[in-house]
Amino acid sequence: MDKKRVTKELLDSIKGYQDRVPYQSPFALQPADRKVDAENLKDQVRRSKIVESLEEAIKLSGLKDGMTISFHHHFRNGDKVLPMVMEIIARMGFKDLRVAASSLTSAHECLVDHIKNGVVNRIESSGLRGKLAQAISEGLLEYPAVIRSHGGRARAIVEGDVKIDVAFLGASSSDCMGNSNGVVGKSICGSLGYAKVDAAHAEKVIMITDTLVDYPNYPISIPQTDVDYVVVVDEIGDSSGIMSGATRFTKNPKELLIAKKVLEAMLASGLFVDGFSMQTGSGGASLAVTRFIREELIKRNIKCSYALGGITKAFVDLLEEGLVGKLFDTQSFDLSAAESVGRNEMHQEISADFYANPFNCSPAVDKLDFVVLSALEIDKDFNVNVISGSDGVIRAASGGHSDTAAAAKMSIIVAPLIRGRLSTIIDKVTTVVTPGSTVDVVVTDMGITVNPARPDLKEKFLAAGLDLVEMEDLVAAAKFIVGEPKPIEFTDEVVAVVEYRDGSIIDVIKKVK
Amino acid sequence: MDKKRVTKELLDSIKGYQDRVPYQSPFALQPADRKVDAENLKDQVRRSKIVESLEEAIKLSGLKDGMTISFHHHFRNGDKVLPMVMEIIARMGFKDLRVAASSLTSAHECLVDHIKNGVVNRIESSGLRGKLAQAISEGLLEYPAVIRSHGGRARAIVEGDVKIDVAFLGASSSDCMGNSNGVVGKSICGSLGYAKVDAAHAEKVIMITDTLVDYPNYPISIPQTDVDYVVVVDEIGDSSGIMSGATRFTKNPKELLIAKKVLEAMLASGLFVDGFSMQTGSGGASLAVTRFIREELIKRNIKCSYALGGITKAFVDLLEEGLVGKLFDTQSFDLSAAESVGRNEMHQEISADFYANPFNCSPAVDKLDFVVLSALEIDKDFNVNVISGSDGVIRAASGGHSDTAAAAKMSIIVAPLIRGRLSTIIDKVTTVVTPGSTVDVVVTDMGITVNPARPDLKEKFLAAGLDLVEMEDLVAAAKFIVGEPKPIEFTDEVVAVVEYRDGSIIDVIKKVK
């Protein structure tokens, strides 16, 4: 076209247009990594993002020493993406990388070697388990590991505290442009809730799939607009590895007793009315709570409006029975859930941002009535530890614990008073993940106790005839049974930092002596 | 909890933690506009965003003189949100606002008075019509109006060129947290594709609905994470006003002839194979093209993989017949489309960003094989004008014209050689919206002409036995029939600036003498 229509001189004469540029050609202005020549325009539009190998994609991504790479843990123990990618990255000779994973599991022990070899020097994750956790607790890392809740990680990424340079995202299916999901293909994992956040904010996104489908893929969990490269590999994960916690109804009498007491507390709270909402975990007691809730819903002829969080078969069954209106799924906790989220439109995949980022306009946790959460340790100030063992070694995950506890109208922490020869209810938790001020009710096999900050709940529980115990009495009973635990001896070296969901530092984990 | 667990001194001793803050209390760190006291935490979590009136929401939003407000045009001529909001804003005494709308229609003539009264001094839109367009063409605005394509607007918002301070978004249903859509409620408009971009990027989002539903709403087109306030009003729009262009099969012989030639060109291109993709508009000729395509699909026993853009009943029918795999809908062009996008999961709502933003990793337009677009004027360099009339006055909209033309493998511009006593094919278009270098084929009732930049297409067309004409011959024929048009006389005053999708300035519109 006649380029003289708009000149710099003309723009200079228009109010507010002094620093603007005249049109040159259709693809003259573009993000720096993409250029289209003025000749044969239509042949150059990028209509496929498939690259031949992970190595090629890594080269194209511009990865450099010291950068931040990210992974999701939707395959949990079945993940094959992180080991595969890290092996190639190590072979390519990269150093000093930060691994910002949504969580790390037993599938990720290879990181111990990559840290030893200098490929990785920083780890950020919701959880750490097994050999990796042990090694980090022993001071393997140059920088302390960073533990974040799911909502806290979403916040950190969205707000730019964590800038991901290259996200390596496994998806069970993708088309040639990167439209992808976790519900179609040979290796399904269900929701891609954590991966969605990485995809939306990473500088470069490499989509890794073992099932390439025709364009356009359906459903679209991660859109092509977020994806830079697509790599097809043999296998991204083992679907059977996604299983988390119990799936069968517990016969453990302690768990059944706790579940029964949880239900009593929920019923007494005044919140168990038509349209209430809830999140429960995947442990034995939680699963039993879900079963008891089902019976109450039927008896009272009411419905739960939505259930949130990691979704299990128990909730899929409630949805299919019409007892729960909708499921909001950040993470599918078993194959039934993974299949359901791809099949039932009322079982909705949500991002970790939608789930729990405290800095967006409002995450889904803000509408929770009940959350039932487990604990490794609870102290007399109601603080909860879900990250480190009573030996001081990192062993579990922050998850959505502090996010849901802070927002739910009634947060319920469940735990047996004693596990083996260790007390769960103690004077001071080894590590604080969830602050006591957000914990409303603690339910143990030895009784229910209410946070003194919630006299309203205590009053309702007493009016309903519930037996309540005082926190001090639980601590004393535990001491009576198993004795005073020997204090853990730590060095001064900080091996991990626990971030609260708002980015402040709520605790640190020190190296064990 | 014991606040002494993490002190400033401790953080100072940890590598990289010198500028971090210790945890204080659960809601101590939050975006500035939200504060929760340390007492009675759980009572203060925001579980409803409903405010009593638009005026209250505007006050809460922090709107100030000189700021930018945005609207979507999914209700087109039936929109009641913009007039309602602008009346209140004017009454509240705001001045010098910038209105950044996805487009403006005959429903928005009230803006003439608001500009005259100083409430609004800048207008940005895809289109301008009727009295508002006339007044702006006559020099009503202090600053030139900005015309952007749909993809260009998404790019400008995402990249921060247009910073929206407060978005006023009408949705046919919303819950109390702002989860909203355009497919449930008494005033449906279908896709909220433009609004999604505003919601994701505006500083404050006020969701305006006339149908409040129980939490959580389904489907969620705009999520609660993006919404600050919810206001319930009597009526947000008239669904019957969304109709755009013809819905019945044309009997106009010129249009039928053009449609037939378009089909011939598509068939001859070699691109009309199983799995091809397309976008066609809503005019008479486009609708006829769609009908002809349907017959060819059946005859050849092939399928179109997806259709894109503004979606009409014609495409809904193709989807339901199984002749098109998926519909990607930025904007529902009639009630049938609006209903279908709420009902059929293969009829997917997409954002304007996904549709056409040239700066994301890749918009949907990049996978188009064919796009059929109309024109007000086409010149011998294949430049297309879809914004101003042959009298030089603004009268229409940029839309997705330049976006799809740039990306589609074969862009086809359709127009009658002559409209009334005016030629469509001329020496130099009044305003360039779509540069000729992106236009591949022009189809008129007087013949098909191919851009010399596409010798490959010309060769295929000739091999298929198509009669082709030269652009010069079309221009000459038009001149022969209606004579040489008298040049429009413009002053030097720029009344509107036409931005190309990449943000460069492709043309300006001057005040008519």
Side-chain angles (χ1 to χ4, degrees), chain A residues 365-414:
Chain A
V365 292
D366 285 5
K367 287 292 279 181
L368 273 179
D369 290 318
F370 302 109
V371 64
V372 182
L373 296 161
S374 58
L376 293 172
E377 295 174 341
I378 306 163
D379 71 22
K380 56 180 166 44
D381 296 321
F382 291 79
N383 297 313
V384 181
N385 172 22
V386 286
I387 190 77
S388 56
S390 54
D391 54 356
V393 175
I394 305 170
R395 58 178 292 125
S398 171
H401 203 285
S402 61
D403 298 308
T404 49
K409 284 185 185 163
M410 179 167 143
S411 60
I412 306 162
I413 313 294
V414 299

Side-chain angles (χ1 to χ4, degrees), chain B residues 93-318:
Chain B
F94 290 101
K95 295 285 174 195
D96 298 337
L97 298 174
R98 171 167 69 157
V99 169
S102 56
S103 202
L104 294 166
T105 70
S106 63
H108 305 126
E109 290 181 352
C110 65
L111 286 172
V112 173
D113 286 339
H114 294 309
I115 294 168
K116 283 183 184 163
N117 295 333
V119 179
V120 171
N121 69 352
R122 288 161 294 166
I123 296 274
E124 311 198 354
S125 177
S126 167
L128 292 167
R129 293 178 179 85
K131 284 180 191 165
L132 177 63
Q134 181 76 38
I136 288 174
S137 288
E138 289 167 0
L140 179 66
L141 279 167
E142 186 188 341
Y143 293 81
V146 182
I147 304 297
R148 288 193 184 88
S149 71
H150 292 324
R153 180 177 190 266
R155 182 205 55 73
I157 293 170
V158 173
E159 300 292 319
D161 293 359
V162 176
K163 202 184 137 296
I164 299 170
D165 294 296
V166 186
F168 294 90
L169 305 179
S172 66
S173 69
S174 175
D175 60 34
C176 64
M177 298 299 272
N179 292 303
S180 46
N181 63 52
V183 299
V184 170
K186 64 179 181 179
S187 312
I188 71 166
C189 62
S191 172
L192 289 178
Y194 305 119
K196 287 164 88 83
V197 181
D198 298 38
H201 297 278
E203 197 59 36
K204 295 285 172 186
V205 173
I206 300 177
M207 187 56 65
I208 302 164
T209 189
D210 50 17
T211 303
L212 188 71
V213 299
D214 286 345
Y215 185 91
N217 194 9
Y218 179 85
I220 297 175
S221 298
I222 292 172
Q224 63 182 59
T225 48
D226 287 343
V227 177
D228 294 278
Y229 310 104
V230 176
V231 182
V232 183
V233 298
D234 288 341
E235 197 180 15
I236 59 161
D238 173 4
S239 298
S240 68
I242 71 173
M243 197 69 79
S244 169
T247 53
R248 274 186 299 181
F249 194 65
T250 183
K251 285 176 181 164
N252 179 326
K254 264 195 200 177
E255 289 182 345
L256 286 172
L257 182 62
I258 290 169
K260 189 172 151 287
K261 286 179 190 290
V262 168
L263 184 75
E264 284 170 4
M266 291 170 82
L267 295 177
S269 70
L271 297 169
F272 198 93
V273 294
D274 192 41
F276 79 91
S277 61
M278 63 174 162
Q279 173 169 337
T280 70
S282 59
S286 282
L287 210 67
V289 170
T290 312
R291 166 88 73 103
F292 292 154
I293 287 171
R294 177 180 172 277
E295 290 163 11
E296 283 301 321
L297 292 171
I298 295 169
K299 196 160 84 188
R300 290 161 189 252
N301 193 26
I302 62 172
K303 262 177 71 166
C304 169
S305 60
Y306 76 100
L308 178 66
I311 297 294
T312 57
K313 180 177 186 300
F315 279 106
V316 172
D317 291 345
L318 288 180

Side-chain angles (χ1 to χ4, degrees), chain A residues 247-251 255-256 259-260 262-263 266 272 276 278 280-281 283-299 312-318 321 323-324 372:
Chain A
T247 53
R248 273 186 299 181
F249 195 65
T250 183
K251 287 177 182 166
E255 288 182 345
L256 286 171
K260 189 174 151 287
V262 169
L263 184 74
M266 289 170 82
F272 199 92
F276 80 91
M278 63 174 163
T280 71
S286 282
L287 209 66
V289 169
T290 311
R291 165 90 72 101
F292 291 154
I293 286 172
R294 176 180 171 277
E295 289 163 9
E296 283 301 321
L297 291 171
I298 294 168
K299 195 160 85 189
T312 57
K313 179 176 186 302
F315 279 106
V316 171
D317 291 346
L318 289 180
E321 282 188 272
L323 296 170
V324 168
V372 182

Side-chain angles (χ1 to χ4, degrees), chain A residues 458-507:
Chain A
K458 186 169 183 179
E459 197 176 311
K460 283 185 178 128
F461 288 1
L462 291 173
L466 294 195
D467 282 336
L468 299 182
V469 294
E470 293 301 317
M471 184 54 100
E472 292 69 27
D473 297 335
L474 289 175
V475 176
K479 279 184 192 166
F480 178 80
I481 301 169
V482 294
E484 188 96 40
K486 210 178 108 188
I488 311 165
E489 291 188 75
F490 290 104
T491 70
D492 277 342
E493 187 183 339
V494 174
V495 296
V497 165
V498 182
E499 257 191 46
Y500 191 56
R501 59 200 301 251
D502 62 6
S504 65
I505 311 304
I506 194 165
D507 209 345

Side-chain angles (χ1 to χ4, degrees), chain A residues 116-314:
Chain A
K116 283 184 182 160
N117 296 334
V119 179
V120 172
N121 69 352
R122 289 160 294 166
I123 295 274
E124 312 198 354
S125 177
S126 167
L128 292 167
R129 293 179 180 85
K131 286 181 190 162
L132 178 62
Q134 182 76 38
I136 288 174
S137 288
E138 289 167 2
L140 178 67
L141 278 168
E142 184 187 344
Y143 293 82
V146 182
I147 304 296
R148 289 193 183 87
S149 72
H150 292 324
R153 179 176 192 266
R155 184 205 53 74
I157 293 170
V158 173
E159 300 293 319
D161 293 359
V162 176
K163 203 186 136 293
I164 300 170
D165 294 295
V166 186
F168 295 90
L169 305 178
S172 66
S173 69
S174 174
D175 61 35
C176 63
M177 298 298 273
N179 293 302
S180 46
N181 62 51
V183 298
V184 170
K186 63 178 181 181
S187 313
I188 71 166
C189 62
S191 172
L192 289 178
Y194 305 120
K196 287 163 87 84
V197 181
D198 299 37
H201 296 278
E203 196 60 35
K204 294 285 172 186
V205 173
I206 300 175
M207 186 57 65
I208 302 164
T209 190
D210 52 16
T211 304
L212 188 70
V213 299
D214 285 345
Y215 185 91
N217 195 6
Y218 178 85
I220 297 174
S221 298
I222 292 173
Q224 64 181 59
T225 49
D226 287 344
V227 177
D228 293 281
Y229 310 104
V230 176
V231 182
V232 183
V233 299
D234 287 341
E235 197 179 16
I236 60 161
D238 172 4
S239 300
S240 68
I242 71 173
M243 196 71 78
S244 168
T247 53
R248 273 186 299 181
F249 195 65
T250 183
K251 287 177 182 166
N252 180 326
K254 266 197 200 175
E255 288 182 345
L256 286 171
L257 183 61
I258 290 170
K260 189 174 151 287
K261 286 181 189 289
V262 169
L263 184 74
E264 285 171 3
M266 289 170 82
L267 295 177
S269 69
L271 297 169
F272 199 92
V273 295
D274 192 42
F276 80 91
S277 62
M278 63 174 163
Q279 173 169 338
T280 71
S282 58
S286 282
L287 209 66
V289 169
T290 311
R291 165 90 72 101
F292 291 154
I293 286 172
R294 176 180 171 277
E295 289 163 9
E296 283 301 321
L297 291 171
I298 294 168
K299 195 160 85 189
R300 290 161 189 252
N301 193 25
I302 63 173
K303 262 177 71 166
C304 170
S305 61
Y306 75 100
L308 178 65
I311 297 296
T312 57
K313 179 176 186 302

Side-chain angles (χ1 to χ4, degrees), chain A residues 51-67:
Chain A
V51 293
E52 280 310 304
S53 67
L54 265 172
E55 187 164 345
E56 181 65 18
I58 292 166
K59 279 184 196 157
L60 288 167
S61 74
L63 183 66
K64 291 190 177 59
D65 291 352
M67 280 188 168

